[in-house]
Amino acid sequence: MRQLLKKILPPFAINKLKRVQASFHRKLTPFFSKSPFLSRIYFTFLNSSYHREQFANLRGMMAYKQRINEHKNSSNPLLRRNIHRIEKGLIMKPLKPVFALDYIEQTQQIYFASLKSTNHQPEELQWAGAVLAKYYNVVKIEQSDLLLKLANEFKANVEVEFENINQFTPYSHSELVKPKFTYQEFYRFIKIRRSTRWFKQAEVCREKIKQAIELASQAPSACNRQPYQFFVVDKQPLVSKISKLAIGSGGFAHNIPTIVAVVGDYSFYEHERDRHVIYIDASLAAMQFMQALPTLGLSSCPLNWPELSVQDRKISKLLSLAEYKKVIMLIAVGEAETEGGIPYSQKKTAEQLTHFVE
Ligand SMILES: Cc1cc2nc3c(=O)[nH]c(=O)nc-3n(C[C@H](O)[C@H](O)[C@H](O)COP(=O)(O)O)c2cc1C
């Protein structure tokens, strides 16, 4: 409908229509914001802004089932989640003699099936195997028939090296490397990352991008599922097309050498209650990605990706994204132009941002 109107109406009429539509919604909002029920009516029948997101979420829930059962991907979200839960059980104080009874069988089944898959990422399997081996070493298997059966099955099918058990399972905090820099030094380093919008017209080394992504991968994520990917675009005309799609890139889109789309993947989740996790996890990783870039001689500017279905459709097509994948944000990356300006961007004080709850 929108496309048809764009074809048959002149631009001034389209703009007029947009203004009428915006004013219509502004007038309706006070009434429909009165209760959760009314807001549901509004977003079901009068405002379709959430529809694409809801569709992607549902598609993701369907894709999740395939993902965990068909073992075609390099990572299995349920295996990751369950192994993560077992690791948490292994560090519990006090350690329970038996735990994870309600999901250990499922975990082992997925692990065995994943071992047979040629696509599965080996380190994920090493981790899962080591944690399961440690689990059977630690729990009192004789207290449960199920555990006895599963432990025997595991030992008959899997041989986990002793070093692997040590390397891929919980360790104590004292083994972590202590920071060799002070708070002030770290503060100075953090301030080196500033949103940079003017870049040299030089190719960005892919190896450096991968190094920054490696660092981004160390970010925390819910149940360690890491439901995101960095789509790196460094070839024209695609860089230009994508840069221009970002609404906030006006005036500098043409000089962006590489643009990275941080893409969240709903197919890592079984339930819609987890629908925000892709945004949270991807943003935490994106932050570490941007923080890593200055150490590699690169600079960046995050670019907003608002929920606009027309833009979303366009970028999904350009990046060939499945319907359950969503662009979370774009990041312009390149070598900073030395004399390019950086806005001062005053930061709020810690006092403003802190609320100690008494
Ligand atoms: C989610 C997000 C979206 C942003 N979108 C844009 C954008 O569309 N265009 C732009 O020029 N800057 C954008 N920025 C950069 C902000 O303007 C910038 O982070 C802020 O002014 C603080 O400056 P600093 O990054 O140099 O500390 C965005 C930043 C974030 C975190």
Side-chain angles (χ1 to χ4, degrees), residues 193-195 197 248-249 252 301-304 329 343 345 347:
R193 183 220 57 84
R194 286 289 85 123
S195 291
R197 296 167 179 90
S249 64
F252 63 95
C301 182
L303 296 169
N304 202 18
M329 73 174 86
S345 297
K347 301 292 182 191

Side-chain angles (χ1 to χ4, degrees), residues 123-344:
E123 280 182 19
E124 186 168 300
L125 293 175
Q126 268 177 322
W127 171 50
V131 171
L132 284 170
K134 178 103 181 186
Y135 171 80
Y136 290 124
N137 284 348
V138 165
V139 289
K140 302 271 179 267
I141 47 178
E142 64 281 1
Q143 288 187 15
S144 150
D145 290 343
L146 175 68
L147 280 185
L148 273 171
K149 181 189 97 148
L150 292 175
N152 286 335
E153 205 177 88
F154 185 79
K155 278 173 197 150
N157 287 287
V158 188
E159 213 171 291
V160 182
E161 311 251 330
F162 183 71
E163 300 88 74
N164 271 5
I165 302 186
N166 278 343
Q167 194 186 338
F168 294 105
T169 56
Y171 49 91
S172 62
H173 190 270
S174 60
E175 288 174 51
L176 286 175
V177 177
K178 303 284 171 294
K180 289 228 168 66
F181 39 83
T182 62
Y183 171 82
Q184 278 76 17
E185 283 164 339
F186 188 57
Y187 198 146
R188 273 200 294 277
F189 166 69
I190 288 286
K191 285 183 80 168
I192 293 172
R193 183 220 57 84
R194 286 289 85 123
S195 291
T196 300
R197 296 167 179 90
W198 297 106
F199 301 100
K200 289 181 186 163
Q201 295 312 292
E203 225 173 74
V204 176
C205 167
R206 285 188 167 189
E207 201 42 49
K208 289 185 177 181
I209 296 280
K210 275 170 82 178
Q211 280 181 281
I213 294 173
E214 172 82 38
L215 213 141
S217 79
Q218 297 302 313
S221 72
C223 285
N224 199 23
R225 273 181 280 205
Q226 302 187 275
Y228 52 78
Q229 259 190 321
F230 291 80
F231 281 57
V232 183
V233 183
D234 57 4
K235 295 271 178 282
Q236 291 295 6
L238 201 52
V239 178
S240 220
K241 283 185 185 167
I242 291 184
S243 302
K244 283 178 191 156
L245 272 184
I247 291 167
S249 64
F252 63 95
H254 62 279
N255 97 121
I256 296 173
T258 287
I259 190 133
V260 176
V262 185
V263 174
D265 187 336
Y266 280 119
S267 75
F268 278 72
Y269 299 96
E270 186 178 8
H271 306 290
E272 65 275 17
R273 66 174 184 229
D274 290 320
R275 65 191 176 277
H276 294 156
V277 181
I278 60 166
Y279 297 97
I280 299 165
D281 287 351
S283 299
L284 290 167
M287 185 67 249
Q288 293 205 175
F289 172 76
M290 289 187 283
Q291 214 66 70
L293 291 173
T295 68
L296 299 159
L298 295 170
S299 298
S300 65
C301 182
L303 296 169
N304 202 18
W305 191 252
E307 275 296 328
L308 293 170
S309 50
V310 177
Q311 305 291 104
D312 220 40
R313 249 182 235 118
K314 284 185 187 164
I315 204 162
S316 296
K317 197 165 172 210
L318 288 173
L319 297 175
S320 307
L321 296 183
E323 284 151 330
Y324 49 82
K325 294 189 180 184
K326 296 278 296 167
V327 171
I328 310 281
M329 73 174 86
L330 297 175
I331 304 176
V333 180
E335 225 179 293
E337 193 192 85
T338 332
E339 296 309 316
I342 305 280
Y344 177 75

Side-chain angles (χ1 to χ4, degrees), residues 5-64:
L5 285 177
K6 269 192 177 168
K7 271 186 196 153
I8 57 175
L9 293 176
F12 78 87
I14 296 279
N15 285 337
K16 174 90 183 150
L17 261 181
K18 277 186 185 165
R19 278 199 299 276
V20 170
Q21 193 189 25
S23 131
F24 172 70
H25 283 291
R26 267 198 308 276
K27 283 186 182 133
L28 291 180
T29 316
F31 174 71
F32 284 100
S33 63
K34 283 189 173 150
S35 77
F37 174 72
L38 288 173
S39 73
R40 191 144 28 115
I41 302 270
Y42 176 69
F43 281 114
T44 305
F45 299 110
L46 298 166
N47 184 330
S48 61
S49 308
Y50 282 82
H51 290 186
R52 205 171 148 74
E53 203 178 353
Q54 288 166 340
F55 174 62
N57 193 189
L58 276 181
R59 280 278 182 187
M61 282 151 65
M62 294 310 295
Y64 170 84

